[in-house]
DNA sequence: ATGGTCGATCCTCGA
């Protein structure tokens, strides 16, 4: 089972590339982030023509997440289930069960600047994700795969220059500890499990020629519960997809699971 | 690879 996470930075702008990439990479479950569209505008027909059904949670201008699957799409739920009355105003997480695997497609808040309200929102959001997983999944016994644009680089190997970035968002201790709490629940960063090396990224800023200078971050992550992580047999960041005409600023991250 | 923000919106903001 091939599961992919890809922040497409507008599905309207990217649909032709997404369609072509599906043809080449043949994912079973494709989780998208930053679709930047309403549910009404989501191009279900384009995916149906390729043999996929899709669930989308969007608001229009910003954010927006989707799960596109050819192996079933059940128990779809958007947002968090904690019943908090300050419910998230943004469309940032979508859940579905696909062929027995509980899947979450996440677009974690960027944070903007440390000491910004958005940074506190980011930490709170990651806490809610942790609590939702703790309350509603059994990662010790069940296959659960939580993917997306986490907007956090898990450690210094995941950024081009830790010294230059010190103290800025994506690398602060509280953000990394928030990911650490997911790991403590039993979730494994399947890319890092497989590759020790730094310099392997999933996002490169459009500005300043960051991609060709190899100045990126690994912030698009695939977290798998122990039963799923044990079944991983292939992991790849498809950095070729960052090249060419009208790329997203993120590359797709692929993990293959030897699951039925 | 022969270059050097982009996307959505409304001309600026978010990433």
């Amino acid at each position: 089972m091939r599961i992919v996470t890809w922040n497409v930075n507008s599905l309207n702008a990217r649909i032709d590339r997404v369609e072509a990439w599906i043809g080449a990479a043949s994912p079973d479950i494709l989780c998208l982030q930053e679709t930047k569209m309403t549910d009404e505008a989501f191009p279900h027909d384009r995916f149906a023509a390729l043999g996929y059904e899709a669930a989308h949670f969007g608001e229009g201008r910003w954010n927006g997440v989707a799960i596109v699957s050819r192996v079933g799409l059940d128990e779809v739920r958007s947002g968090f289930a904690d019943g908090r009355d300050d419910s998230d105003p943004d469309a940032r997480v979508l859940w579905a069960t696909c062929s027995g695997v509980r899947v979450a497609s996440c677009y974690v808040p960027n944070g903007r600047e440390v000491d910004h309200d958005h940074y506190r929102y980011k930490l709170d959001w990651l806490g809610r994700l942790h609590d939702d997983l703790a309350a509603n999944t059994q990662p010790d016994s069940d296959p659960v795969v939580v993917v997306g644009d986490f907007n956090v680089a898990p450690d210094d190997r995941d950024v081009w220059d830790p010294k230059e970035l010190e103290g800025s968002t994506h690398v602060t201790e509280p953000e990394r500890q928030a990911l650490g709490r997911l790991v403590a629940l039993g979730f494994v960063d399947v890319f890092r499990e497989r590759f020790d090396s730094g310099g392997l990224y999933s996002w490169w800023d459009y500005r300043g020629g960051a991609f060709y200078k190899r100045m990126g971050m690994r912030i698009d992550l695939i977290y798998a519960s122990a039963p799923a992580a044990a079944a991983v047999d292939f992991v790849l960041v498809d950095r070729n997809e960052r090249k060419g005409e009208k790329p997203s600023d993120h590359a797709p991250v692929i993990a293959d699971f030897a699951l039925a």
Side-chain angles (χ1 to χ4, degrees):
Chain A
M1 179 181 293
R2 171 161 289 179
I3 302 181
V4 175
T5 184
W6 190 7
N7 179 325
V8 292
N9 186 20
S10 167
L11 187 55
N12 273 329
R14 219 66 61 207
I15 184 64
D16 290 343
R17 280 191 73 135
V18 170
E19 195 174 71
W21 190 84
I22 287 174
S26 201
D28 293 299
I29 303 166
L30 174 60
C31 296
L32 304 175
Q33 299 88 36
E34 279 208 90
T35 58
K36 295 185 176 176
M37 58 175 48
T38 60
D39 293 339
E40 293 70 31
F42 188 84
H44 286 280
D45 54 334
R46 300 285 292 266
F47 293 108
L50 300 170
Y52 294 81
E53 56 187 324
H56 180 255
F57 176 38
E59 61 201 56
R61 291 156 293 198
W62 291 305
N63 313 309
V65 285
I67 300 176
V68 179
S69 171
R70 65 177 181 193
V71 293
L73 195 64
D74 303 303
E75 300 171 80
V76 174
R77 190 238 294 174
S78 57
F80 295 120
D82 54 14
R84 247 169 65 175
D85 50 13
D86 62 332
S87 183
D88 191 348
D90 295 349
R92 294 186 177 275
V93 62
L94 182 66
W95 310 76
T97 301
C98 308
S99 190
V101 181
R102 191 62 173 162
V103 175
S105 178
C106 304
Y107 176 47
V108 177
N110 172 284
R112 299 184 191 163
E113 304 287 340
V114 177
D115 291 333
H116 195 290
D117 276 345
H118 206 262
Y119 177 81
R120 290 181 280 279
Y121 166 55
K122 179 182 195 173
L123 295 178
D124 181 64
W125 198 96
L126 284 164
R128 293 179 80 183
L129 177 63
H130 168 276
D131 294 350
D132 201 311
L133 289 164
N136 299 301
T137 69
Q138 278 88 44
D140 291 339
S141 56
D142 296 343
V144 183
V145 179
V146 181
V147 309
D149 175 0
F150 281 79
N151 272 315
V152 180
D155 70 49
D156 282 351
R157 289 171 292 179
D158 299 314
V159 299
W160 76 94
D161 188 344
K163 284 210 164 58
E164 184 177 325
L165 291 167
E166 200 171 339
S168 58
T169 62
H170 296 58
V171 301
T172 66
E173 247 343 274
E175 290 165 278
R176 287 175 167 173
Q177 283 167 7
L179 296 189
R181 292 187 70 212
L182 304 183
V183 173
L185 268 187
F187 288 94
V188 175
D189 175 351
V190 301
F191 181 92
R192 184 50 76 205
E193 176 105 317
R194 207 161 180 90
F195 301 107
D196 287 330
S197 167
L200 302 168
Y201 309 129
S202 65
W203 168 85
W204 299 262
D205 203 312
Y206 285 124
R207 295 165 289 192
F211 182 67
Y212 82 90
K213 292 176 182 168
R214 301 183 178 274
M215 295 165 63
M217 292 194 201
R218 192 177 70 89
I219 55 177
D220 299 275
L221 309 175
I222 296 178
Y223 280 112
S225 65
V232 169
D233 56 24
F234 178 80
V235 182
L236 178 76
V237 178
D238 185 6
R239 73 185 298 284
N240 281 336
E241 191 56 33
R242 182 63 176 78
K243 303 177 183 175
E245 290 279 319
K246 283 175 71 73
S248 172
D249 45 353
H250 297 253
V253 183
I254 301 165
D256 288 349
F257 299 83
L259 295 169

